[in-house]
Amino acid sequence: MPELPDVEIFRRYLNATSLHQEIERVEIRRSRQMLEGVSARTLRTRLEGHAFDAVRRHGKYVFAGLDGGDWLVLHFGMTGYPAYFRDIGREPPHARLLMGFANGFHLAYVSQRMFGTISMTDDVEGFVTAKRLGPDALAPDLDLDAFRGRLSGRRATAKSALLNQRIIAGIGNIYSDEILFQAGVHPSLRIDRLDEEAVRRLFHSMKRVLNTAIEKRVDPDRFPRTYIAPRRGPGGRCPKCGRELIRERIAGRSAYYCPHHQKGRRGAMTVRDCGSLGSQPPQGAA
DNA sequence: ACATTGACCTGAGAGC
DNA sequence: TGCTCTCAGGTCAATG
């Protein structure tokens, strides 16, 4: 669940709540599963007595910078989120890392299904390189040319290329479906069979969908009416033509798509019957 | 080198 | 009611 837009909201949340407060106490649970490349003991000593002073994000990872130069690295798996609260009795269930600040507040890293990981690094770029992550999907220097370059030579389906964090970092199952729908690209079309125009639509849909989701605070109820994300699930219908969405296992995941607006499987496609696809104006004031 | 599949983990819900 | 099965989904090791 936490994909780039969710993690960006987490980053802003941490930035607004957890900076410049001394960390007095640290509690780590289920460290065997949760910690990656750092011992519970080391993690505790590097956090205690220090304070966060910056929060960065790359793809689905958050990096919380400490005044000593270390970075706490959080990956949220599919059920993770940060929680900042005062009353210790309000601690959410499944908190795996609990920090107590000098101001009496607490910050928990919550992960019910424990697919997430907690680690430390002294070099964010080095961490990203070691994980072999591609550029962040919203990085300004990931322009159309760079995007095309990342995809070139790939034979994977469009769906699995978008999901591949080594090609581009940040896109997960929900937003890959949304990007493909807005671009009018069938999820199981091969990347190397897309024409120039389809690649261009994919690129612009990627940027627009992710930025829109952040702007709408990842609340599907506030997404534009033309989005399929809120319609995933049994009986979901295409917001543009009313046809029932198809659910199909592609790239090992459940893909939802509209059989009318996302045709394909045979070479490159055009969508001249969907003039407004992938080009709706920015919605909402504010 | 690249692409695909299954395991990891927990809880909810379906079916019997 | 209680059991088993399936599903959710990000990532990585194993396999093709």
Side-chain angles (χ1 to χ4, degrees), chain A residues 255-280:
Chain A
Y256 286 85
Y257 65 94
C258 170
H260 177 64
H261 287 96
Q262 294 163 270
K263 297 212 167 86
R265 282 220 164 84
R266 290 178 289 109
M269 64 162 292
T270 53
V271 255
R272 56 174 75 90
D273 59 334
C274 318
S276 67
L277 261 182
S279 60
Q280 70 275 121

Side-chain angles (χ1 to χ4, degrees), chain A residues 91-132:
Chain A
E91 182 194 315
H94 313 298
R96 312 303 186 187
L97 171 64
L98 182 63
M99 289 166 277
F101 293 114
N103 66 357
F105 279 76
H106 302 85
L107 177 65
Y109 164 91
V110 181
S111 180
Q112 185 206 109
R113 274 173 229 182
M114 301 201 295
F115 271 28
T117 54
I118 300 166
S119 45
M120 291 225 86
T121 184
D122 56 7
D123 174 9
V124 171
E125 282 72 30
F127 182 92
V128 167
T129 304
K131 283 278 175 189
R132 305 181 65 179

Side-chain angles (χ1 to χ4, degrees), chain A residues 180-193:
Chain A
L180 290 162
F181 174 70
Q182 297 300 329
V185 172
H186 192 287
S188 54
L189 268 181
R190 277 173 51 162
I191 277 294
D192 58 349
R193 303 264 175 81

Side-chain angles (χ1 to χ4, degrees), chain A residues 40-282:
Chain A
R41 181 189 165 84
T42 301
L43 183 64
R44 191 173 332 107
T45 57
R46 300 226 178 139
L47 290 171
E48 278 177 356
H50 294 274
F52 296 118
D53 59 10
V55 197
R56 296 174 58 180
R57 182 189 60 72
H58 187 103
K60 302 170 189 172
Y61 287 85
V62 157
F63 302 86
L66 291 150
D67 48 24
D70 286 316
W71 297 82
L72 172 68
V73 186
L74 299 177
H75 188 285
F76 295 92
M78 63 176 278
T79 56
Y81 63 93
Y84 182 78
F85 56 97
R86 173 179 287 214
D87 182 1
I88 196 65
R90 287 276 189 82
E91 182 194 315
H94 313 298
R96 312 303 186 187
L97 171 64
L98 182 63
M99 289 166 277
F101 293 114
N103 66 357
F105 279 76
H106 302 85
L107 177 65
Y109 164 91
V110 181
S111 180
Q112 185 206 109
R113 274 173 229 182
M114 301 201 295
F115 271 28
T117 54
I118 300 166
S119 45
M120 291 225 86
T121 184
D122 56 7
D123 174 9
V124 171
E125 282 72 30
F127 182 92
V128 167
T129 304
K131 283 278 175 189
R132 305 181 65 179
L133 297 175
D136 186 82
L138 287 183
D141 56 357
L142 182 65
D143 57 16
L144 177 56
D145 277 347
F147 181 76
R148 200 183 288 120
R150 300 296 300 172
L151 296 179
S152 78
R154 294 283 177 168
R155 289 162 295 148
T157 63
K159 170 88 170 165
S160 71
L162 289 177
L163 287 170
N164 187 339
Q165 303 300 297
R166 292 184 181 186
I167 300 178
I168 290 161
I171 300 166
N173 199 37
I174 306 285
Y175 291 101
S176 63
D177 278 356
E178 191 65 62
I179 291 163
L180 290 162
F181 174 70
Q182 297 300 329
V185 172
H186 192 287
S188 54
L189 268 181
R190 277 173 51 162
I191 277 294
D192 58 349
R193 303 264 175 81
L194 297 180
D195 62 19
E196 281 279 304
E197 176 57 20
V199 172
R200 195 193 62 79
R201 288 200 313 272
L202 262 189
F203 171 77
H204 290 294
S205 295
M206 174 183 78
K207 298 282 190 180
R208 187 167 39 241
V209 164
L210 297 176
N211 277 315
T212 300
I214 293 167
E215 186 191 321
K216 303 300 180 188
R217 305 250 129 195
V218 298
D219 178 359
D221 293 338
R222 301 179 63 203
F223 286 0
R225 285 192 310 278
T226 53
Y227 275 37
I228 59 166
R231 299 171 166 82
R232 302 174 68 84
R237 289 183 175 277
C238 174
K240 302 186 186 191
C241 69
R243 287 175 177 79
E244 191 159 345
L245 296 176
I246 290 181
R247 175 175 171 273
E248 192 177 328
R249 199 134 193 102
I250 299 170
R253 330 221 69 90
S254 283
Y256 286 85
Y257 65 94
C258 170
H260 177 64
H261 287 96
Q262 294 163 270
K263 297 212 167 86
R265 282 220 164 84
R266 290 178 289 109
M269 64 162 292
T270 53
V271 255
R272 56 174 75 90
D273 59 334
C274 318
S276 67
L277 261 182
S279 60
Q280 70 275 121

